[in-house]
Coordinates of all heavy atoms in Angstrom, one line a residue:
Chain A
F456 N 73.7 97.1 111.0 CA 74.0 95.7 110.8 C 74.3 95.3 109.3 O 74.9 94.3 109.0 CB 72.8 94.8 111.3 CG 71.6 95.1 110.5 CD1 71.2 94.3 109.4 CD2 70.7 96.2 110.9 CE1 70.1 94.6 108.7 CE2 69.6 96.4 110.2 CZ 69.2 95.7 109.1
V457 N 73.7 96.2 108.5 CA 73.8 96.0 107.1 C 75.3 96.0 106.6 O 75.6 95.5 105.5 CB 73.0 97.0 106.3 CG1 73.8 98.3 106.3 CG2 72.7 96.6 104.9
R458 N 76.2 96.5 107.4 CA 77.6 96.6 107.0 C 78.3 95.2 107.1 O 79.3 95.0 106.5 CB 78.4 97.5 108.0 CG 78.0 98.9 107.9 CD 78.6 99.7 109.0 NE 80.0 99.5 109.1 CZ 80.8 100.2 109.8 NH1 80.3 101.1 110.6 NH2 82.1 100.0 109.8
Y459 N 77.8 94.4 107.9 CA 78.5 93.2 108.2 C 78.0 92.0 107.5 O 76.9 91.8 107.3 CB 78.5 92.9 109.8 CG 78.9 94.2 110.5 CD1 78.0 94.8 111.4 CD2 80.2 94.7 110.4 CE1 78.4 95.9 112.1 CE2 80.5 95.8 111.1 CZ 79.6 96.5 111.9 OH 80.0 97.6 112.6
P460 N 78.9 91.0 107.3 CA 78.5 89.7 106.7 C 77.8 89.0 107.8 O 77.9 89.4 109.0 CB 79.8 89.0 106.4 CG 80.9 90.0 106.6 CD 80.4 91.1 107.5
P461 N 77.1 87.9 107.6 CA 77.0 87.3 106.2 C 76.1 88.2 105.3 O 75.2 88.8 105.8 CB 76.3 86.0 106.4 CG 75.9 85.9 107.9 CD 76.4 87.1 108.6
Y462 N 76.5 88.4 104.1 CA 75.8 89.3 103.2 C 74.6 88.6 102.6 O 74.5 87.4 102.5 CB 76.8 89.7 102.0 CG 78.0 90.4 102.5 CD1 79.2 90.1 102.1 CD2 77.8 91.5 103.5 CE1 80.3 90.9 102.5 CE2 78.9 92.2 103.9 CZ 80.2 91.9 103.4 OH 81.3 92.6 103.9
S463 N 73.6 89.3 102.2 CA 72.4 88.8 101.7 C 71.8 89.8 100.7 O 72.2 90.9 100.7 CB 71.4 88.5 102.8 OG 71.1 89.7 103.4
R464 N 70.8 89.3 100.0 CA 70.1 90.2 99.0 C 69.5 91.4 99.8 O 69.5 92.5 99.3 CB 68.9 89.4 98.3 CG 69.4 88.8 97.1 CD 68.3 88.8 96.0 NE 68.8 88.2 94.8 CZ 69.9 88.6 94.1 NH1 70.6 89.6 94.5 NH2 70.3 87.9 93.1
G465 N 68.9 91.1 100.9 CA 68.2 92.2 101.7 C 69.2 93.2 102.1 O 69.0 94.4 102.0
K466 N 70.4 92.8 102.5 CA 71.4 93.8 102.9 C 71.8 94.6 101.7 O 72.1 95.8 101.8 CB 72.6 93.1 103.5 CG 72.4 92.6 105.0 CD 73.7 92.2 105.6 CE 73.3 91.7 107.1 NZ 74.5 91.2 107.8
L467 N 71.9 93.9 100.6 CA 72.3 94.6 99.4 C 71.3 95.7 99.0 O 71.7 96.9 98.8 CB 72.4 93.6 98.2 CG 72.8 94.2 96.8 CD1 74.1 95.0 96.9 CD2 72.9 93.1 95.8
R468 N 70.1 95.4 99.1 CA 69.0 96.4 98.8 C 69.1 97.5 99.8 O 68.9 98.7 99.4 CB 67.6 95.7 98.8 CG 67.1 95.5 97.4 CD 65.8 94.8 97.3 NE 65.9 93.4 97.8 CZ 65.0 92.8 98.5 NH1 64.0 93.5 98.9 NH2 65.2 91.6 98.9
L469 N 69.3 97.2 101.0 CA 69.3 98.3 102.0 C 70.5 99.2 101.8 O 70.4 100.4 101.9 CB 69.4 97.6 103.4 CG 69.2 98.5 104.6 CD1 67.9 99.4 104.4 CD2 69.1 97.7 105.9
L470 N 71.7 98.6 101.5 CA 72.8 99.4 101.2 C 72.6 100.3 100.0 O 72.9 101.5 100.0 CB 74.0 98.5 100.8 CG 75.1 98.2 101.9 CD1 76.1 97.3 101.3 CD2 75.7 99.5 102.3

Side-chain angles (χ1 to χ4, degrees):
Chain A
F456 63 92
V457 76
R458 294 170 55 169
Y459 308 116
Y462 297 134
S463 64
R464 271 217 179 301
K466 283 191 180 178
L467 179 54
R468 257 178 289 141
L469 192 48
L470 258 180

